[in-house]
Amino acid sequence: MSFKSISELLNGLTQKEFSSVELTRDYLKRIQQYNAELNCFITIAEDQAVEAAETADKRRETGAAGLLEGIPVAHKDLFCTEGTLTSCASNMLSNFIPPYESTVTRRFLEAGAVCLGKTNMDEFAMGSSNENSHFGPVRNPWDSTRVPGGSSGGSAAAVAAGLCAAATGTDTGGSIRQPAAFCGITGLKPTYGRISRLGMIAFASSLDQAGPMARSAEDCALLLQVMAGHDPMDSTSAQQAVDQYSHNLGSELKGLTIGLPKEYYNEGLDPTIGQALQEAIKTYESLGATIKEVSLPHTSLSVPAYYVIAPAEASANLARFDGVRYGKRCDSPADLDDLYMRTRAEGFGAEVQRRILIGTYVLSAGYFDAYYRQAQKIRRLIKNDFVEAFGQVDLLLCPTTPDCAFPLGSKSADPVQMYLEDIFTIPTSLAGLPALALPCGQANGLPIGLQLIGNYFQEARLLNAGHQYQQRTDWHLQHPTLG
Amino acid sequence: MTIKSEEVEKIAFLARLRVAEDNRGKLTEDLSQILDFVDQMKAVDTRNVTPLSNPLEMHQILRPDTVTEENQRDRLQAVAPATELGLFLVPKVIE
Amino acid sequence: MAWEVVIGLEVHVQLATRSKIFSGASTAFGASPNTQACAVDLAMPGMLPVFNEEALRMAVKFGLAIGAEISERSVFDRKNYFYPDLPKGYQISQLDHPTVKAGSIDIHLADGTGKTIGVTRAHLEEDAGKSLHEDFHGMTGIDLNRAGTPLLEIVSEPDLRSAKEAVAYLKKLHSIVTYLGISDGDMSQGSMRCDCNVSLRPKGQAEFGTRTEIKNVNSFKFVEKAINTEIERQTDILEDDGKITQETRLYDADKDETRSMRSKEFANDYRYFPDPDLLPVVIDQAYIEAVKSTLPELPEAKLKRFKEQYGLSDYDAEILSSSRQQADYFEAAASAAGDAKLAANWVMGDLAKNLNQQNLEISESPVPAEHLGLLISRIKDKTISGKIAKDVFTAMWNGEGSPDNIIESKGLKQVTDSGAIEAIVDQVLADNPKQVEQYRAADEAKRGKMVGFFVGQTMKASKGKANPQQVNQILKQKLS
């Protein structure tokens, strides 16, 4: 039951093979069993989950079932959930119980989903290994000596380990796609602005985007249907109409042109991953797609530009954590500056502090033009690369990550090495494009991730292409054996 | 070092982060390494490029001028570290 | 040495929107602490700003009123600094792309001269909260009700050359924003706050001297005093060959001095950058035209019209057009009176005196403009004398009703019936035989003065109601 797709679970609920309460209890049992090892959850909302499942069963009984009625999910711990701890995996917010609900989690509630708890992550979504959590690292269910990726590592590991049917994540530079690849699940980063950011604790506002993490493109389509749409409370949310994602999953790929950005297939790529990708390309050819090489010449500049823009925005976004209105406050501050400086030094972890300092530096007098403005110009060049490429092809196909899940601690001493983990996911984030990560192979028992990149608001096409691939392959059906 | 220890001290004050004495050296090193890495951007000629702030280049939506929020002080202050008579308390501010 | 004073003003005007610039919380003044600070205003995690359309419209109105270019694309930036009354750790403001670009404002001075003052820009931003320094066990209390109230910061060119000019500019600004209805302009509640940049330079020198900025001066009177005090301070330093330090100063009204605010200046670096939670505000010409069509007649235009249409002096026209309420009152009174000059005299005279005494705004006048106009018309049609009119006005002020009712009920109507006046005169002459004798014995030159006695007695006997011209005429006949 724990590794069934959402459509299978919905079917089971409709056919009364099992109730939402039974399903919820099953996941809760697995969480009890495996969370101590994997550390996927910061908060397990056992009582509320069972209560929500009871309500869902009743609603189904009365024929008032929502799109996700009774489906147990987990939310990344940066979506504010009214009455439930929302910590952002930070000491700073380790006591923060929001008096309001984020738009994303509210939409899940309205669709009838059951919230099992809040998942672990890199603090304030800053990290690519989930080692930057105040609540300890998450372990990869495929190999618990390895990282699950980050920052949505708890969500990815929970889905992969069958501790929930699906989960929410957020992606700023790859935080949905990279952990999805490392954990062998399917994750979608939608177009910037497709999903409301209201109630989602901000890392970098012009990049942050929520998205679904699940077992298949088909499940992601259903989840996106629930999550997507304009929110008048978020100025950056798009007013574009929402497509019927699930209904669009049957389209043939004949006539589709898929581009291979040559800069992504370089010597830095792990050969096993390269091999798996060649297989995937063949599968797409056999599905009727035409393959074409394209160039995204500014790719190598994306990580440097990102590590100026994202920290700059973060340095301002995280200024509100000052120990005055919510969150942690240091003990007996001597004066105002002492209150600020100690609260923030004690509340934020090392990586968050590094990024705040970098962000402060690149915006400060004398450096603004050389760093911040230059990075924004490079952001334009990177976007233009994609605009150019999408003039020739419908989708881009490339790796999600340069390697597979790495051992815990192996990169945490070297920030730049860690940053380069996101070389294949950051360009799309800067351009604001949608991208889907899905499993396409394994190397030494570790999942390999394929990445499909679509043009703006073409999530439907992206999900269909992912779904067509998953009809032909079974990588997405593999799951780890838990110890 | 791309960034000096004194500069780290200055930006740490701007960002209101206390840096422990024994950590300043390592931090300066880390930040220098990151700045060296991002410095490769500088080689690109961007004279005729317009900066991009928002990927979609949409326009601001406008909200009607209506009062939609009621007094929620008690709920909102329930998570505050220190309040009195409805005020948030901070160490004495000297003007 | 002869010094030239150079002044530029930065005026923060609170816009009179119902809700805040980026949230749906109320902007009403005087609520209990933090009851009008919603999750957005408190910068709760995950909260986002959405721009208030009325704040935009008001800024555009102001821009059009001062003949400024309106930006078709304006951008909000974050101004970063830590302060407890600034919940996000940054203020949302506009740096490089303000909604209102350069414009100008005409001022008129008491000596009859006028001047055009350049306005560099006017940008939208959010107000901060308030720190309350009463002692809470050695702590400061923070009230964020004001946080997020829309402000229009209006920056002038350094075109002002004296404290008087600065006050005239500020008053004109006040009348423009209140005419437009975009602010209540209430300086006592902080609806209009002024920072004054002051510097001196040797007369004839093109280059500016080092300036100081006097923060948050909150009345016309204090602006004048603070600037003059600062001019004196700077003059003293420069005369002693000293140097002015560029700094922020605070005006202390009790001591009538400015003093340095060293604390905040240390290492300030605001790190402005475009706010990624907000997008560029884009408006088109049609929008601007639509706003333009809603502009009322503005003070400067009204002043000109008052001079032309009513033949008022510069001075009278300036005073009567200084506020929309005053101007509307005057015009209503003038129309009911059928005499603009008399109406102007009454509005600036007895009415203004009474309003001042009781500290009332003209909109709160117990005497409606129509009644004042009617009263004036009763003087003109000789129903009452100018002297009686003062009594009627007092009765009106005390709420005794319309002038006609008061004249009627108190029997104040002027007596113009010659028979009735003759009877009173006869009585007065009969009662004062000695004076009549003296009068008749006197020569023509002395008689002129002596007749005053009889007029006075007659008026007294008629309780002031006899028509003075007729009394004069009849007395002359009877005494001759």
Side-chain angles (χ1 to χ4, degrees), chain C residues 189-326:
Chain C
Q189 293 183 356
S191 299
M192 220 172 135
R193 312 195 289 270
C194 183
D195 299 342
C196 316
N197 290 297
V198 180
S199 67
L200 301 185
R201 62 180 169 190
K203 257 216 162 86
Q205 179 183 304
E207 205 183 309
F208 291 126
T210 306
R211 67 184 164 86
T212 60
E213 182 180 14
I214 315 167
K215 278 263 177 220
N216 262 331
V217 200
N218 296 338
S219 78
F220 296 126
K221 194 174 85 189
F222 288 162
V223 164
E224 183 162 0
K225 289 181 102 181
I227 292 176
N228 280 330
T229 307
E230 180 60 14
I231 292 172
E232 269 174 48
R233 190 188 71 88
Q234 292 192 14
T235 309
D236 287 349
I237 295 174
L238 293 169
E239 293 283 340
D240 288 347
D241 289 329
K243 273 195 165 171
I244 306 296
T245 318
Q246 181 164 350
E247 63 183 351
T248 303
R249 300 180 70 84
L250 207 63
Y251 177 66
D252 183 335
D254 295 334
K255 295 182 184 156
D256 191 25
E257 62 177 33
T258 66
R259 62 164 184 273
S260 178
M261 279 172 78
R262 315 136 314 253
S263 55
K264 267 208 203 169
E265 289 307 290
F266 170 64
N268 252 354
D269 178 346
Y270 293 124
R271 291 159 284 136
Y272 281 97
F273 74 104
D275 190 333
D277 285 333
L278 290 160
L279 302 168
V281 178
V282 175
I283 52 178
D284 56 15
Q285 277 307 317
Y287 175 90
I288 294 169
E289 286 306 317
V291 175
K292 201 180 245 171
S293 71
T294 68
L295 290 185
E297 184 185 28
L298 290 159
E300 198 58 28
K302 199 163 284 214
L303 186 153
K304 278 204 190 104
R305 182 168 63 80
F306 281 8
K307 280 162 53 180
E308 284 161 17
Q309 184 176 342
Y310 301 122
L312 299 181
S313 69
D314 273 357
Y315 180 77
D316 289 359
E318 168 88 30
I319 289 187
L320 289 171
S321 65
S322 67
S323 90
R324 203 159 148 182
Q325 285 80 5
Q326 172 121 325

Side-chain angles (χ1 to χ4, degrees), chain A residues 26 108 116 168 172 179 204 215 267 281 309 316 327 346 362 396 429 438 448 455 483:
Chain A
D26 182 67
F108 271 95
L116 294 167
T168 52
T172 306
R215 288 184 211 299
E267 59 287 354
I281 292 164
I309 293 168
E346 292 166 15
V362 299
L396 295 169
S429 291
L438 61 168
I448 294 171
N455 209 341

